[in-house]
Amino acid sequence: MNAEEAKRIVADQKELVEEKLASNYIKRDTGDISRFLTVPNVLAILGVRRSGKSTLSLMLVKELNVKFAYLNFDDENLYGLIAKDLKLVEQAIYEVYSSDVGYLIFDEVHNVKGWELFISRLRETKRVIITGSNSKMLSGELATSLTGRHSDFILFPFSFREYLRFKRVSEETPISTRRIAEVNVELERYMEVGGFPEALMIGRDQIDVIYNDILFKDVAFRYKVRELEKFKDFSKSLISYYSSEVSLSKLAKVIGVDKKTVDLWSFGVENAYLVYFLPRYGEKPRERLTYNKKVYVVDPGVISRVALRAKDKGRVMENLVALKLLRDNQLKGLHYVKGKDFEVDFYDEVNSRLLQVTYSSDKVEEREFKALLKAEEMLRARELVVVTYDIEGEEEREGRKIKLIPLYKFLLS
């Protein structure tokens, strides 16, 4: 790459950014993450491909009304870029934007080998936002060189609240019968199409495009997967286990590959934020390593398009609850609980609560309450919750109050 080439690429991307900034975008429920934009701290916005990371970055600087520069390293014109080329890129940015630009946004910068030292140098004088669809991008040289001076935010596709905002439906928790019905109709649609912004704007078929890009660009290419057909079968099978325990050893036998390969593939799809593996609660770390994990998929639209089995509404509900908890807790402190004769879907350690999810049409089965009470004996959680489809109220068992919350209300809370 030469200086003129770098300048042309930066200028071309600047034109696209200006068009983006002129558009209206859905406000994301991120809290005040702009507070992390201080020198020498780096804000890393991470998450699955096409969840809106670059748009969120641009919305942040637009709201702050500051001078900024933007560069997307997922551009095919930058393919093969190496660390020594980054000096030319930096020079091009100052020529195209301004030498006194104070904010820098680098999209998918981890595509460049050796990017870490480049960012580490820039953050000493600039406010830097980096985005990535690779959960391990901050575990290497950057983490060492920054010595903790970075803040990570995991962005998901639209939540149900953000989906309603996109559809121009009131996101306030409904009270009237008519409004509850309206919100539940949208919830049914959300369970089908999910929250990828492109899928909502273009159509459900776009989910297939996003899914294939994740598989091949973020996993197969990065991890040099050779057996592509078997890898596709593996991914489809794994997604079909949504809201269920999965044994990777058994899955390896079904697919016809060795366990080491399946471990690598599962690491890849988790690293690309396509799925999340939820550990079973164990008092000792060693116990947690021996248990099977439950798998949850990043978006209900992917489940409806990819999963092999017929859609199970109860399991889709559970996946939605998992995504809300993962989103709210930023992946921290979430487990499932299992004993000899009971299982509870979620232990939210951050908020000290146990949650059970059930697709109940008239009443909650007694076994759901019993499971919560048995888990509560073990964990002493402050709050016990059953997320239902449409039942609301409160039950009391053995002196403990158990909240019953409809799914729509839980997702909007």
Side-chain angles (χ1 to χ4, degrees):
M1 172 178 284
N2 58 48
E4 283 307 308
E5 243 184 314
K7 192 174 175 180
R8 178 182 55 79
I9 293 167
V10 172
D12 286 348
Q13 288 198 19
K14 185 184 179 189
E15 287 182 4
L16 293 174
V17 164
E18 287 168 352
E19 288 175 19
K20 269 191 169 187
L21 288 171
S23 304
N24 292 319
Y25 287 102
I26 302 303
K27 183 170 175 57
R28 306 300 299 267
D29 295 327
T30 61
D32 181 22
I33 58 173
S34 62
R35 71 185 188 277
F36 299 126
L37 285 171
T38 58
V39 175
N41 197 55
V42 172
L43 172 60
I45 301 176
L46 310 173
V48 70
R49 177 180 290 268
R50 303 299 184 193
S51 56
K53 299 183 295 294
S54 60
T55 300
L56 175 60
S57 303
L58 292 170
M59 287 168 68
L60 283 175
V61 292
K62 184 178 180 180
E63 286 174 10
L64 292 169
N65 193 26
V66 292
K67 284 185 179 181
F68 75 94
Y70 169 92
L71 192 63
N72 179 9
F73 287 91
D74 218 14
D75 188 326
E76 70 275 9
N77 293 303
L78 295 174
Y79 178 75
L81 205 68
I82 56 178
K84 70 176 184 179
D85 296 324
L86 291 173
K87 192 73 178 173
L88 288 174
V89 168
E90 182 184 2
Q91 179 184 325
I93 285 171
Y94 296 143
E95 288 183 27
V96 171
Y97 283 91
S98 158
S99 58
D100 65 343
V101 65
Y103 289 72
L104 299 171
I105 301 171
F106 295 117
D107 238 344
E108 305 290 347
V109 66
H110 58 87
N111 287 338
V112 182
K113 192 172 181 181
W115 62 276
E116 298 95 339
L117 294 176
F118 173 67
I119 295 298
S120 185
R121 175 173 59 79
L122 290 176
R123 55 104 190 184
E124 294 293 343
T125 56
K126 309 290 183 184
R127 289 167 171 80
V128 179
I129 303 174
I130 58 175
T131 79
S133 49
N134 177 346
S135 69
K136 302 302 176 189
M137 66 182 287
L138 295 176
S139 61
E141 179 66 34
L142 182 62
T144 304
S145 57
L146 289 183
T147 57
R149 296 310 300 267
H150 62 86
S151 302
D152 313 339
F153 182 81
I154 314 299
L155 187 68
F156 289 73
F158 284 163
S159 66
F160 182 52
R161 180 184 289 277
E162 291 165 338
Y163 165 88
L164 291 179
R165 201 173 294 154
F166 173 85
K167 300 285 282 186
R168 302 196 194 302
V169 175
S170 173
E171 64 203 68
E172 295 301 316
T173 303
I175 299 173
S176 70
T177 302
R178 183 187 64 80
R179 281 278 296 118
I180 290 171
E182 179 186 20
V183 168
N184 272 325
V185 166
E186 292 297 343
L187 180 54
E188 293 286 334
R189 290 174 181 156
Y190 179 68
M191 286 178 165
E192 283 292 324
V193 73
F196 277 108
E198 282 183 14
L200 294 172
M201 289 185 284
I202 301 172
R204 286 184 66 207
D205 289 351
Q206 194 65 19
I207 296 170
D208 301 336
V209 176
I210 296 167
Y211 173 69
N212 284 319
D213 279 352
I214 295 167
L215 285 194
F216 297 110
K217 292 182 180 180
D218 296 330
V219 186
F221 177 76
R222 186 163 288 145
Y223 297 96
K224 298 179 173 58
V225 175
R226 293 193 181 118
E227 298 178 275
L228 290 176
E229 287 305 313
K230 287 188 176 182
F231 171 62
K232 284 164 65 179
D233 289 344
F234 159 79
S235 179
K236 189 170 283 193
S237 298
L238 184 64
I239 286 168
S240 300
Y241 275 99
Y242 68 96
S243 303
S244 303
E245 284 184 54
V246 61
S247 167
L248 293 179
S249 299
K250 290 180 180 176
L251 200 52
K253 289 178 183 176
V254 171
I255 302 298
V257 295
D258 58 66
K259 174 66 163 46
K260 188 177 177 182
T261 298
V262 160
D263 283 342
L264 177 65
W265 291 351
S266 61
F267 174 82
V269 293
E270 183 182 29
N271 195 19
Y273 297 100
L274 178 61
V275 301
Y276 295 90
F277 291 106
L278 198 68
R280 176 176 162 183
Y281 182 81
E283 292 183 354
K284 299 174 184 174
R286 186 177 293 178
E287 286 179 342
R288 299 182 190 188
L289 291 173
T290 61
Y291 296 142
N292 284 337
K293 294 181 179 180
K294 290 181 78 171
V295 63
Y296 294 97
V297 181
V298 71
D299 185 73
V302 174
I303 293 172
S304 68
R305 298 292 290 187
V306 177
L308 293 166
R309 311 175 206 169
K311 192 179 73 171
D312 181 318
K313 200 163 191 176
R315 287 169 59 211
V316 174
M317 282 180 59
E318 184 181 330
N319 200 96
L320 286 178
V321 171
L323 292 178
K324 173 158 176 61
L325 295 170
L326 289 164
R327 181 185 285 111
D328 289 352
N329 290 3
Q330 286 289 287
L331 314 188
K332 297 179 181 71
L334 199 60
H335 312 268
Y336 75 99
V337 185
K338 192 171 184 178
K340 289 181 180 177
D341 58 350
F342 73 94
E343 183 173 337
V344 171
D345 296 321
F346 304 106
Y347 172 41
D348 174 4
E349 203 168 0
V350 174
N351 297 293
S352 186
R353 58 180 173 170
L354 288 158
L355 302 99
Q356 198 74 304
V357 183
T358 178
Y359 178 47
S360 303
S361 55
D362 50 3
K363 69 172 186 175
V364 177
E365 298 290 332
E366 199 61 33
R367 60 186 168 81
E368 309 288 5
F369 299 126
K370 288 179 178 177
L372 282 171
L373 291 170
K374 287 182 178 180
E376 193 272 339
E377 281 180 25
M378 187 169 76
L379 298 165
R380 301 297 175 194
R382 285 198 302 267
E383 189 176 18
L384 306 181
V385 176
V386 178
V387 180
T388 70
Y389 188 73
D390 55 8
I391 301 172
E392 185 169 10
E394 190 173 89
E395 296 278 342
E396 189 169 324
R397 296 290 188 281
E398 299 178 18
R400 286 301 311 262
K401 290 181 179 178
I402 303 171
K403 292 181 182 178
L404 310 183
I405 305 176
L407 180 63
Y408 75 85
K409 187 170 278 193
F410 181 81
L411 295 179
L412 293 177
S413 64

